[in-house]
Amino acid sequence: MSAGVRDFVRRANETKRPEDSLALRGAVLAAVMTGMFALALEGAIGATTALMLTFLLPFAYWVSWKRRAMDNWHIKLALTAAALIALVRFLGQLSGIATLDEVRFPLADLFLWIQVVHGFDLPQRRDLNFSLGSSLTLMAVAGSVSQDLRFGVMLLIYFGFATAAFALAYRSELEEDVSGRLSSEPPSKGGRAAARKIPFGEVGRAALVTLVAAGILFMIIPQPAGIKTFSLPFKVGGGGGIFSGGDLINPGDSGGDPSSRLGGLAYFGISDRMDLSVRGELSNELMMRVRSSAPALWRGSVFDFYDGRAWVGDQDEPRSLGVGPPYTYPIEFRSTGPRSYINQTFYIEAEQPNVIFTGGEPDQVWHDGAVNVDDLGSLRTDSTLTPGQVYSAISSWGAAPPAELRASGVGELPPTMDRYLQLPSTLPSRVEELAREITARSTNTYDKVKALETYLRKNYRYSLDSPVPEEGRDA
C-alpha cells in the first residue's frame, strides 16, 4: 500500500473523541452478552458457539478499550475482511433453509459474529451505541422462538443493562460537553458534579412519557383486520410416528371398560367416537407448547351424531388438501360474516394423535407433510405427531357484534346445519322442557344461546369425577 493511500486510510479512521467510560463499555457488553445467552437459552445457537462467545466478546471489548485512542487502521482492514467472511457464511447457511421462518437462525448467528468483529474496534460512543442497538436484534430473535416465560427473565435483565448503558452514555455526553466548552474560566465544581450525576429523574420521566404515548397510540390506531405473513414455523421433528391410513390414531387411548379410569398421555375423546360414559384421567406430563397471538378454544375432532351415549364423527376416508404448505381450508366449511384472525404455533413435546388443532376455524396450515380433511371439516395428518415436530395455523372466529347477531338470528337455520341438530329418540323429554324454560324470555337465537350458556355456567361444575351412567340411561 502506497504512503498516500495509507495516510488517507489513517485520517479516515482517526478517532476524534475516544470514549473513556469503562462503566458504559461494561453495560453495553453486558447487554450484548444477555442477548447472546437468550439465544442460547432458546436453542437458536448451539452450546459450543455460546461458550466460544462467552470468552471472545469480553476479549474483543478489552482490546477496543486498550486501543480506543489509536487509529487502528490495520485492525479495521482485518475486521472488514472478517465481516465479509461472516456474510459469505450467512449466505451459505441460507442455501439450507427450507422455510422463510428459519431465516431467523442464521440471521441471529450473523449478528452475533458482527458483534464480535465490531467489538474489537469500539473507540467512540457512537460505536458503542451501534452495538447496543444490534443487541436488541438478538433479543428480538430470541423472543420470536421462545416458548415459555424464561425469556421474560432474560428480557428484564437485558433492559436493566440497556437502561444503565443509556444513562451512562448520557452522563458521558454531559461531561464531554462541560469539558469542551470554550471558556476562560474553568467550570465550577457544581457544574462538574451535575455533569457526573446520573439523571435518573429525567430517564424515569422519559420512560413514563414513552409508555403513556405508546398506550394511547395503540388504542387509537386501527388494528389490521387480518394477519399478513409470508410463512409460519413448521418442521418435521423426529419422525417415526404411527401411520394412520386415513383414520384418527390416538396413542393415548388405551380403551377398556367405560366404568374404569382410563389413564394415558392423550385425551381419549380425540378419535372417531367419543363415549360420554368413559371417565379418563389426565396426567401432568407436558404434551405440547403453544404460542398464540390471542387466547382461543382449540378445535380438533368434530362430531355430528349423538346416540344417547356417544358422539360419532365422520367415518369416511378423508380427502387431501393438496400440495402445501400452506394448506388452505376448503371454502365449503368456512363461516361467513366478520371474522377476527389469530395465529398459533404448536411445538410437540410427546407423541400426539394425528389431529391438527386450531384456535377456532382454520384458515391456513403450515405442516411438513400431508394434511387431510374429513366431511365435517376436521384436519388430520398421515401419522401421529412426534416430539420435536412443529406446525402452525392461521384461524379465525366470528367478530360480528351482538346487535348484528340478534338481527340475523331469526328464522330457519340453513339445511347444512341439519346434520348437527339430530337427537336420539331416547332423549329424555325433561331435557327439551328445561331448554324451553331457560329460553322462554328470549326472542331471538342469539339471546337463547346466551341464556343457555349462562344457565350452564351458574348451575354446573365441570368434573372428571362425575358418575358413570347406568346401562340404557342417556349420558
Side-chain angles (χ1 to χ4, degrees):
M1 182 182 294
S2 64
V5 174
R6 188 184 304 114
D7 291 338
F8 173 78
V9 173
R10 284 179 174 176
R11 287 195 303 270
N13 291 279
E14 182 182 0
T15 300
K16 303 297 189 299
R17 289 181 179 272
E19 178 55 63
D20 295 323
S21 174
L22 187 59
L24 172 57
R25 293 176 179 274
V28 173
L29 173 61
V32 173
M33 296 283 287
T34 303
M36 183 268 294
F37 285 129
L39 287 172
L41 190 65
E42 300 299 338
I45 60 173
T48 303
T49 301
L51 182 62
M52 186 187 307
L53 293 176
T54 301
F55 296 98
L56 198 53
L57 277 169
F59 176 71
Y61 273 65
W62 178 79
V63 171
S64 67
W65 158 254
K66 286 294 186 180
R67 302 185 61 86
R68 64 189 183 280
M70 306 177 188
D71 55 33
N72 297 324
W73 67 270
H74 54 291
I75 292 182
K76 291 179 185 292
L77 289 177
L79 296 181
T80 300
L84 291 175
I85 293 173
L87 180 60
V88 172
R89 182 171 178 267
F90 167 74
L91 295 176
Q93 290 175 322
L94 290 183
S95 62
I97 295 301
T99 69
L100 187 63
D101 166 73
E102 295 177 1
V103 174
R104 293 177 295 177
F105 301 105
L107 190 63
D109 186 77
L110 173 65
F111 265 86
L112 275 173
W113 288 110
I114 290 297
Q115 284 279 13
V116 173
V117 171
H118 186 63
F120 280 96
D121 186 46
L122 300 171
Q124 302 180 90
R125 192 183 310 113
R126 66 182 183 185
D127 301 305
L128 291 167
N129 290 337
F130 173 82
S131 289
L132 186 62
S134 298
S135 68
L136 187 60
T137 303
L138 304 180
M139 294 299 295
V141 174
S144 69
V145 298
S146 65
Q147 302 174 24
D148 51 40
L149 293 179
R150 293 181 302 175
F151 175 73
V153 177
M154 301 302 296
L155 191 62
L156 290 175
I157 296 173
Y158 173 81
F159 276 116
F161 288 129
T163 301
F166 281 126
L168 290 166
Y170 184 70
R171 184 177 72 172
S172 178
E173 186 176 352
L174 288 179
E175 291 178 342
E176 181 181 288
D177 183 59
V178 170
S179 62
R181 289 173 184 168
L182 298 177
S183 173
S184 59
E185 297 293 332
S188 65
K189 293 182 178 180
R192 289 188 181 275
R196 292 191 182 96
K197 184 177 180 182
I198 299 177
F200 289 111
E202 286 82 352
V203 173
R205 285 192 291 271
L208 179 61
V209 170
T210 302
L211 288 174
V212 172
I216 294 175
L217 289 173
F218 178 79
M219 289 186 290
I220 64 176
I221 293 178
Q223 300 300 308
I227 295 176
K228 306 298 182 183
T229 182
F230 292 104
S231 175
L232 292 178
F234 66 94
K235 67 178 181 179
V236 68
I242 304 172
F243 180 68
S244 65
D247 297 328
L248 274 175
I249 303 296
N250 186 348
D253 187 358
S254 58
D257 183 4
S259 63
S260 64
R261 293 285 167 182
L262 299 181
L265 301 182
Y267 181 58
F268 65 89
I270 304 177
S271 64
D272 292 325
R273 186 175 187 272
M274 184 172 66
D275 192 334
L276 299 185
S277 63
V278 175
R279 298 294 176 260
E281 291 182 345
L282 301 177
S283 73
N284 291 323
E285 181 173 345
L286 179 64
M287 302 302 296
M288 66 174 73
R289 301 179 188 271
V290 184
R291 295 188 55 166
S292 178
S293 59
L297 294 176
W298 292 353
R299 162 179 158 160
S301 302
V302 179
F303 307 97
D304 68 336
F305 185 84
Y306 178 61
D307 62 9
R309 201 170 184 89
W311 280 96
V312 182
D314 178 52
Q315 302 294 319
D316 296 330
E317 185 79 13
R319 68 180 189 271
S320 172
L321 287 184
V323 180
Y327 296 95
T328 302
Y329 199 55
I331 191 171
E332 64 263 28
F333 297 119
R334 294 177 179 269
S335 301
T336 57
R339 310 290 294 175
S340 292
Y341 290 87
I342 61 171
N343 57 12
Q344 317 103 55
T345 298
F346 295 80
Y347 300 85
I348 307 302
E349 299 286 344
E351 190 174 16
Q352 297 285 302
N354 59 318
V355 171
I356 294 289
F357 285 104
T358 58
E361 180 183 288
D363 184 77
Q364 288 184 310
V365 174
W366 280 261
H367 175 265
D368 195 346
V371 175
N372 307 309
V373 61
D374 64 21
D375 286 343
L376 296 176
S378 298
L379 298 179
R380 62 185 78 172
T381 62
D382 283 342
S383 61
T384 54
L385 305 179
T386 55
Q389 196 162 352
V390 178
Y391 70 90
S392 299
I394 294 178
S395 57
S396 68
W397 64 73
E404 184 176 336
L405 292 173
R406 287 189 176 95
S408 62
V410 180
E412 295 296 327
L413 292 173
T416 53
M417 296 297 295
D418 290 345
R419 66 187 304 170
Y420 301 103
L421 303 178
Q422 166 272 339
L423 291 173
S425 58
T426 57
L427 185 74
S429 59
R430 65 180 186 276
V431 177
E432 182 178 351
E433 294 169 1
L434 179 59
R436 293 188 182 278
E437 178 184 342
I438 296 171
T439 60
R441 297 183 179 180
S442 303
T443 58
N444 57 78
T445 304
Y446 175 80
D447 286 333
K448 290 180 180 180
V449 172
K450 300 303 291 185
L452 290 169
E453 285 183 352
T454 302
Y455 180 85
L456 293 173
R457 186 180 299 112
K458 289 183 176 179
N459 294 277
Y460 298 95
R461 294 185 62 187
Y462 177 80
S463 173
L464 289 174
D465 297 324
S466 56
V468 177
E470 300 174 2
E471 187 68 29
R473 180 181 293 269
D474 188 282

